[in-house]
Amino acid sequence: MTTTGKTNLLDLDRQGLRAFFAQLGEKPYRADQVMKWIYHRLENDFERMTDLGKSLRNRLAEVACVGPPNILHEKGSTDGTHKWLLGMDGGNAIETVYIPEPTRGTLCVSSQVGCALNCTFCSTATQGFNRNLSTAEIIGQVWVAARHLGNVPHQQRRITNVVMMGMGEPLMNFDSVVAAMNLMRDDLGFGLASKRVTLSTSGLVPQIDKLSEVVDVSLAVSLHAPTDELRSTLVPINRKYPIDELLAACKRYVELRPRASVTFEYTLMKGINDHPDHARKLVRLMRRLPSKVNLIPFNPFPGTRYERSDPEVIEDFRRILNNAGVIATVRRTRGDDIDAACGQLKGQVLDRTRRSATFRKQMHEESTHAA
Ligand code: SAH
């Protein structure tokens, strides 16, 4: 429901939409027709859904809407990356980023306003947390970008991949994220193959198991360190779900979902986790399950105490992994001129956790000590 009392159809996956039409006394195929209008033709005006019959169109206009998020601001990078700031309720806003590459176009989507997990090297964490996004607010990001790009599912596909790597921890917003991923993968939705939809998580073990029961999307796991001691300082949720348990859950995921893949994300920070010894320890961990490593050069943001590793160090790190037979790639930094690179998304968060105040205080203390 929206504030206008109308049902936002973007909140419903195919099953939900069919149930909604059944309630209206309509046949299920009407739901399918409406889905095609929404996701294939990117139409949000019932009046233009011309194969629906006048009375149904009027009825829909009374009780429902197709309500994507408002675009507050958008910005293009010199490298073709495009970023949207989308308004949510109150003063909240989230960010969505499109990254074009020669053979694919990836949309990076947010799942929460802010994040509650407090990873020490991520700018979203410094802003605290407000709330989960609804299904409409998640799939609405794809809808807004698709409309801007002239995306036509099955024909002119500008968005070939979606990664849940924007603001927020997607597995903390399980049901809405799963429904939105259903719409991304549904033929009547955006029609993406499951492996082209990637969920990135900081490593919530029970939810990884729960995910394997419902979808076979690609899994990306934010590892960032080869030992519990170090990982707990970077990704605090590691204290609850240490590396052994996390890797076991990833192994169960690929065993249950043989078509899915697991990638481990490893952000390289100077002098923190980029020593050859870390690489060798990582190799040993990677022997436990079929997986790939994605090395991410750290993206700085105001107030951070971390720095990006030097290019030679990143190259050496990758070489150690490759030489040991571990598939490792370095993620190219995109859109950093518009603060759209990994870990730079900020949006606008009305913090309910007081974390942003603590961060500002810390920054202030550090700068006065430095002075
Ligand atoms: N909450 C999810 C999605 C986060 S964003 C998760 O934790 O996986 C996607 C990736 O960017 C994560 O691996 C995250 O750890 C990484 N990241 C966060 N801040 C970063 C920064 N400043 N530089 C580089 N990568 C960063």
Side-chain angles (χ1 to χ4, degrees):
M1 293 275 270
T2 65
T3 43
T4 57
K6 293 181 178 182
T7 299
N8 188 351
L9 299 190
L10 294 176
D11 262 322
L12 305 173
D13 60 10
R14 194 197 294 214
Q15 217 186 346
L17 205 60
R18 285 184 172 178
F20 178 77
F21 275 78
Q23 262 179 14
L24 295 180
E26 297 287 339
K27 294 259 164 26
Y29 79 91
R30 292 293 184 197
D32 299 5
Q33 271 176 307
V34 169
M35 272 189 82
K36 281 194 209 158
W37 279 106
I38 300 177
Y39 299 105
H40 293 188
R41 301 198 210 179
L42 304 169
E43 184 54 71
N44 61 346
D45 181 352
F46 295 121
E47 203 40 54
R48 296 211 196 96
M49 302 187 182
T50 44
D51 56 358
L52 287 186
K54 186 80 183 139
S55 67
L56 176 57
R57 277 184 273 159
N58 289 345
R59 185 76 204 286
L60 284 172
E62 275 164 27
V63 298
C65 66
V66 180
N70 287 329
I71 301 175
L72 294 182
H73 186 66
E74 55 185 300
K75 208 170 175 183
S77 155
T78 47
D79 68 11
T81 303
H82 199 90
K83 179 167 93 164
W84 290 265
L85 183 70
L86 300 174
M88 303 288 133
D89 59 339
N92 287 316
I94 51 110
E95 293 188 337
T96 306
V97 181
Y98 177 68
I99 307 141
E101 282 170 293
T103 56
R104 63 178 173 190
T106 303
L107 192 71
C108 178
V109 167
S110 297
S111 57
Q112 299 183 308
V113 181
C115 188
L117 289 185
N118 214 7
C119 298
T120 50
F121 57 96
C122 179
S123 94
T124 304
T126 64
Q127 293 192 294
F129 174 71
N130 184 278
R131 66 170 175 86
N132 281 335
L133 296 183
S134 65
T135 300
E137 289 166 336
I138 299 168
I139 201 67
Q141 297 169 57
V142 188
W143 195 91
V144 164
R147 185 129 122 165
H148 170 92
L149 297 164
N151 185 64
V152 181
H154 310 293
Q155 289 171 35
Q156 190 172 20
R157 247 195 241 275
R158 303 256 190 234
I159 300 172
T160 62
N161 295 62
V162 175
V163 294
M164 301 295 312
M165 293 188 186
M167 296 166 68
E169 167 51 54
L171 291 182
M172 294 276 262
N173 184 11
F174 194 89
D175 293 340
S176 299
V177 165
V178 166
M181 294 195 306
N182 287 343
L183 288 165
M184 294 169 200
R185 301 179 302 126
D186 194 319
D187 263 348
L188 299 178
F190 288 108
L192 298 176
S194 289
K195 63 173 185 204
R196 291 182 175 273
V197 174
T198 302
L199 183 145
S200 179
T201 178
S202 55
L204 305 184
V205 165
Q207 284 88 339
I208 292 174
D209 284 325
K210 202 170 148 199
L211 190 70
S212 69
E213 290 166 17
V214 288
V215 287
D216 56 357
V217 296
S218 298
L219 196 62
V221 176
S222 296
L223 190 60
H224 306 312
T227 62
D228 281 324
E229 198 191 354
L230 179 57
R231 188 165 189 267
S232 294
T233 67
L234 300 171
V235 184
I237 195 77
N238 189 69
R239 288 186 210 122
K240 198 158 175 195
Y241 306 117
I243 294 174
D244 270 351
E245 285 179 36
L246 178 57
L247 293 190
C250 295
K251 199 158 176 230
R252 289 193 292 277
Y253 189 82
V254 278
E255 275 165 7
L256 254 153
R257 296 290 183 178
R259 286 192 307 174
S261 63
V262 176
T263 304
F264 290 97
E265 293 158 292
Y266 195 108
T267 295
L268 286 161
M269 290 166 257
K270 191 186 253 179
I272 302 286
N273 62 353
D274 62 353
H275 195 273
D277 211 38
H278 294 122
R280 287 188 281 270
K281 287 200 173 97
L282 184 58
V283 165
R284 287 202 282 281
L285 290 182
M286 293 299 104
R287 297 235 160 89
R288 297 195 203 167
L289 73 165
S291 53
K292 288 178 289 201
V293 175
N294 198 197
L295 300 171
I296 313 172
F298 173 70
N299 292 306
F301 54 90
T304 182
R305 58 189 135 116
Y306 300 110
E307 286 172 69
R308 180 179 293 184
S309 304
D310 293 328
E312 317 79 65
V313 172
I314 297 178
E315 213 20 57
D316 285 348
F317 202 95
R318 187 187 62 80
R319 206 171 305 118
I320 294 172
L321 295 176
N322 287 164
N323 288 347
V326 176
I327 301 171
T329 49
V330 179
R331 189 180 292 176
R332 205 150 64 85
T333 300
R334 298 290 302 269
D336 54 347
D337 57 336
I338 54 167
D339 287 342
C342 308
Q344 289 184 319
L345 301 188
K346 281 201 77 164
Q348 255 162 252
V349 182
L350 298 185
D351 183 22
R352 291 164 183 269
T353 61
R354 300 171 58 96
R355 170 136 356 104
S356 55
T358 316
F359 178 75
R360 276 195 300 273
K361 190 163 158 266
Q362 267 168 12
M363 248 178 90
H364 175 75
E365 278 164 8
E366 272 169 29
S367 63
T368 36
H369 283 156

